[in-house]
């Protein structure tokens, strides 16, 4: 019911599924029936998503948000007709931008994997209530989004430091950490949503979780070499 419920994931999933355009209709700004004003969240999400689209080479005009009341049928018709025409002009997704189908698919998949991270990094801005349309354009900038993607953090467990206390494994919200009793823990990078919980949770006396920026993550320790060797047992 509320445009604020429309997640970045929904929009990018629609494009991944081959939609040529996505339209979001929300109630007029400042006319929300509740205290939540979800339409402001929807607006900021769209502004962010449009910059992300530019970053991967898609025309941001394929995504549109418009605010109107349920009684404005004529306005809705006009807006939808205009948007339909615009999307037709732009042509099929990817083809209109001269991006190879497989390349587009993999770009969209990469971005979708980073959605929890993007939402976490941009959490404060996503909650801002913009006052007028002049503020929309510069709210998220291309440089800012390029920087966001070039500085994506990864988390890695240093096998020489992990003491298999299992704290990180229990706290990871998406079960991305593989480990067990006396087993060096390993982060499954494909499942990790980069929330940083393991980084915060690993006891300072071990300090085994590292944050890595803009560099490849070392390969995981082979299964057969994951037994923790305690110092007392080494001697
Ligand atoms: S960063 Fe978050 S999601 Fe990734 S392994 Fe650590 S706790 Fe799990
Ligand atoms: S919290 Fe630290 S020491 Fe404990 S299992 Fe995780 S990485 Fe290893």
């Amino acid at each position: 019911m509320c445009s604020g419920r429309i997640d970045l994931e929904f929009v990018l999933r629609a494009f991944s599924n081959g939609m040529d355009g996505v339209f979001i209709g929300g109630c007029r700004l400042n006319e929300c029936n509740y205290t939540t004003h979800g339409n402001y969240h929807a607006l900021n999400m769209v502004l962010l998503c449009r910059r992300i689209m530019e970053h991967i080479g898609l025309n941001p005009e394929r995504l549109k948000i418009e605010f109107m009341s349920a009684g404005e049928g004529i306005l809705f018709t006009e807006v939808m007709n205009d948007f339909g025409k615009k999307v037709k002009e732009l042509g099929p997704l990817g083809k209109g931008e001269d991006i190879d189908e497989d390349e587009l698919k993999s770009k969209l998949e990469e971005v979708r994997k980073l959605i929890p991270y993007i939402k976490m990094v941009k959490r404060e801005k996503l909650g801002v209530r913009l006052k007028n349309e002049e503020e929309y354009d510069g709210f998220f900038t291309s440089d800012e989004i390029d920087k966001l993607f070039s500085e994506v953090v990864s988390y890695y467990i240093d096998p020489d430091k992990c003491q298999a206390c299992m704290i990180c494994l229990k706290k990871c919200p998406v079960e991305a950490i593989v480990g067990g009793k006396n087993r060096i823990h390993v982060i499954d990078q494909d499942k990790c949503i980069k929330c940083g919980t393991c980084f915060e949770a690993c006891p300072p006396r071990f300090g085994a979780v590292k944050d890595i920026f803009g560099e490849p993550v070392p390969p995981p320790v082979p299964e057969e070499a994951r037994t923790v060797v305690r110092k007392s047992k080494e001697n």
Side-chain angles (χ1 to χ4, degrees):
M1 280 298 286
C2 177
S3 56
R5 175 68 184 92
I6 299 168
D7 197 278
L8 190 54
E9 164 65 16
F10 301 172
V11 178
L12 292 171
R13 195 193 308 156
F15 287 125
S16 288
N17 287 341
M19 296 300 124
D20 297 327
V22 173
F23 173 82
I24 297 164
C27 302
R28 287 192 177 277
L29 295 171
N30 299 319
E31 290 183 11
C32 180
N33 285 317
Y34 307 99
T35 56
T36 47
H37 291 275
N39 42 7
Y40 277 102
H41 286 265
L43 169 62
N44 295 355
M45 182 277 293
V46 165
L47 297 175
L48 173 62
C49 190
R50 287 167 66 108
R51 290 289 182 210
I52 292 172
M53 291 168 72
E54 277 175 352
H55 178 81
I56 59 172
L58 286 178
N59 192 319
E61 290 187 85
R62 293 184 183 277
L63 173 60
K64 185 174 178 67
I65 186 164
E66 200 64 59
F67 305 101
M68 61 190 78
S69 87
E72 291 177 301
I74 294 173
L75 176 64
F76 178 70
T77 312
E78 284 170 3
V79 166
M80 292 314 294
N81 283 342
D82 287 350
F83 185 58
K85 268 187 218 152
K86 172 51 87 186
V87 173
K88 270 195 184 136
E89 266 169 43
L90 294 173
L93 186 78
K95 283 204 180 93
E97 288 90 346
D98 211 14
I99 312 177
D100 173 78
E101 198 178 321
D102 290 341
E103 190 192 342
L104 177 60
K105 204 171 160 218
S106 84
K107 280 182 174 183
L108 283 166
E109 267 168 26
E110 280 306 305
V111 174
R112 284 178 66 193
K113 268 198 235 163
L114 292 175
I115 288 173
Y117 175 71
I118 295 169
K119 280 167 50 181
M120 189 175 62
V121 175
K122 295 294 169 196
R123 185 178 48 224
E124 275 185 32
K125 278 185 93 170
L126 286 168
V128 169
R129 290 192 198 170
L130 295 173
K131 289 185 191 65
N132 50 56
E133 291 199 15
E134 286 73 56
E135 289 183 331
Y136 294 4
D137 248 6
F139 189 54
F140 292 104
T141 65
S142 307
D143 286 350
E144 176 186 359
I145 300 306
D146 291 348
K147 191 164 177 271
L148 174 76
F149 282 98
S150 68
E151 291 178 355
V152 170
V153 67
S154 297
Y155 293 96
Y156 169 72
I157 296 174
D158 183 338
D160 294 331
K161 292 190 175 173
C162 180
Q163 291 300 303
C165 70
M166 298 176 72
I167 293 174
C168 60
L169 181 144
K170 287 178 189 153
K171 291 199 170 180
C172 177
V174 292
E175 301 182 352
I177 300 178
V178 182
K181 211 174 160 203
N182 278 326
R183 300 286 289 162
I184 290 168
H185 288 40
V186 170
I187 295 175
D188 180 336
Q189 299 295 331
D190 283 336
K191 283 192 187 169
C192 175
I193 57 166
K194 304 176 189 299
C195 68
T197 303
C198 52
F199 183 74
E200 300 291 332
C202 183
R205 65 183 185 283
F206 303 141
V209 182
K210 309 275 172 217
D211 49 355
I212 299 176
F213 294 88
E215 278 178 41
V217 178
V221 189
E223 284 270 358
E224 60 279 12
R226 290 190 191 170
T227 304
V228 174
V229 181
R230 313 264 172 211
K231 287 225 164 68
S232 53
K233 290 184 183 169
E234 255 181 324
N235 299 332

